[in-house]
């Protein structure tokens, strides 16, 4: 049985509307994934997360899956085999100061052009101080970047979208566009892709659905935020990879292998996090 605790109502004030509680998903002993795998010995020490877009239902799946999505007319498709392929497994990094999930980014490209203005080692995690690195943060609404990284990415995206009419900035975003002039694809607005270059030659591509957010009927904005702390606080990450950029794709975390894998946008499969089929039995 997993340990839990009740909380007074005032602690829910900072959470989104209709929230029922908070679950710790870290690699520490009292986290929910660790407690579940310890309680049910036959379950792999893994969990998968899928955050919905547009207020739909998402999923948190503990153990080995399967990860079945309803698919018409074929019936359903299991995402697990692809996620578990060795070439899709990306190492997780450890920060001695916390139980967070870090991963290595070696560079960024915008519209296939490398961002050359990034400082050398901009994304590195300092093993001694715990400072730097790229950390998943489901509590951060939009990916937040240290100023030197943010400015390089902002300027590269600005140049790649220079032909798109701008709109007035809407806080917390700095760069916004007129929604009416943008084309739309299954993967969001038709703008330059952002590619994160990862360990092992993998690329995490962020299309328009992850780089632009609609803030009102007429305006979409560059969905990245600059860190404001100056100087950098010891132990702080270089990048907090936030919830908006994680929406509508499945992430599988393997705590024994210390790896993670991701599907990419499920919209590319004409699907989404709202469409899981939980009638299938466990693979274990």
């Amino acid at each position: 049985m997993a340990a839990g605790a009740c909380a007074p109502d005032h602690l829910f004030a900072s959470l989104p509307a209709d929230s029922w509680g908070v679950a710790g998903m870290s690699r520490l002993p009292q986290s929910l994934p660790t407690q579940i795998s310890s309680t049910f010995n036959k379950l792999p020490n893994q969990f998968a997360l899928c955050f919905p877009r547009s207020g739909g239902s998402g999923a948190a799946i503990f153990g080995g899956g399967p990860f079945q999505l309803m698919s018409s007319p074929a019936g359903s498709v299991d995402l697990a085999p692809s996620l578990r392929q060795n070439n899709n497994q990306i190492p997780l990094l450890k920060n001695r100061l916390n139980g967070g999930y870090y991963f290595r980014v070696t560079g960024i490209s915008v519209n296939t052009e490398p961002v050359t203005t990034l400082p050398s080692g901009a994304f590195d995690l300092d093993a001694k101080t715990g400072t730097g690195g790229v950390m998943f943060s489901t509590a951060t609404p939009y990916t937040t970047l240290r100023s030197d990284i943010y400015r390089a990415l902002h300027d590269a995206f600005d140049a790649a979208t220079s032909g798109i009419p701008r709109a007035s900035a809407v806080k917390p975003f700095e760069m916004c566009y007129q929604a009416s002039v943008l084309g739309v694809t299954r993967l969001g607005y038709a703008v330059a892709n952002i590619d994160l270059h990862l360990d092992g030659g993998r690329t995490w591509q962020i299309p328009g659905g992850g780089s632009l957010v609609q803030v009102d009927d007429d305006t979409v904005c560059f969905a990245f935020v600059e860190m404001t702390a100056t100087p950098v606080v010891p132990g702080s990450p270089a990048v907090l990879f936030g919830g908006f950029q994680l929406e509508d794709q499945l992430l599988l975390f393997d705590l024994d292998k210390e790896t993670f894998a991701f599907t990419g946008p499920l919209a590319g499969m004409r699907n989404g996090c709202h469409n899981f089929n939980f009638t299938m039995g466990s693979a274990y």
Side-chain angles (χ1 to χ4, degrees), residues 25-28 31 47 91-103 125 130 134-138 235 237 240 253 255 258:
M25 308 294 280
S26 76
R27 288 184 275 185
L28 299 177
S31 72
F47 69 95
L92 289 165
L93 306 180
K94 284 187 177 180
N95 186 336
R96 66 180 184 86
L97 299 183
N98 60 47
Y101 297 92
Y102 289 74
F103 61 102
L125 173 63
V134 181
M135 179 185 180
F136 288 111
S137 177
T138 58
L240 286 167
F253 294 86
L255 304 188
E258 297 184 349

Side-chain angles (χ1 to χ4, degrees), residues 18 21 28 33 47 90 92 109 116 152 155-156 165 178 194-195 219 233 245 253-254 258 273 277:
D18 300 323
L28 299 177
F47 69 95
I90 298 165
L92 289 165
S109 294
T116 58
D155 292 352
Q178 296 177 21
I194 297 172
D195 293 329
T219 309
V233 177
Q245 280 73 33
F253 294 86
D254 190 316
E258 297 184 349
C273 292
N277 177 7

Side-chain angles (χ1 to χ4, degrees), residues 90 103-112 115 118 123 134 136 143 145 149 153 193-199 201-207 224 239-242 245-246 249 260 262:
I90 298 165
F103 61 102
R104 179 168 170 74
V105 174
T106 59
I108 300 180
S109 294
V110 175
N111 204 22
T112 72
V115 178
L118 286 166
F123 302 100
V134 181
F136 288 111
T143 292
L145 308 100
I149 301 173
L153 176 60
N193 291 327
I194 297 172
D195 293 329
L196 304 183
H197 303 295
L198 312 178
D199 277 340
R202 288 296 309 279
T203 296
W204 189 322
Q205 187 169 92
I206 302 174
F224 295 83
V239 177
L240 286 167
F241 200 77
Q245 280 73 33
L246 295 174
Q249 52 188 308
F260 79 98
F262 62 95

Side-chain angles (χ1 to χ4, degrees), residues 47-49 79-80 82-92 136 202 204 249-254 258-264:
F47 69 95
L49 297 175
L79 302 176
S82 174
L83 288 171
R84 292 200 175 94
Q85 290 178 5
N86 288 336
N87 61 341
N88 287 337
Q89 300 294 310
I90 298 165
L92 289 165
F136 288 111
R202 288 296 309 279
W204 189 322
Q249 52 188 308
L250 182 67
L251 285 84
L252 173 63
F253 294 86
D254 190 316
E258 297 184 349
T259 62
F260 79 98
F262 62 95
T263 59

Side-chain angles (χ1 to χ4, degrees), residues 63-82:
F67 310 122
Q68 296 274 355
L69 286 176
M70 298 299 294
S71 179
S72 180
S76 63
V77 57
D78 187 4
L79 302 176
S82 174

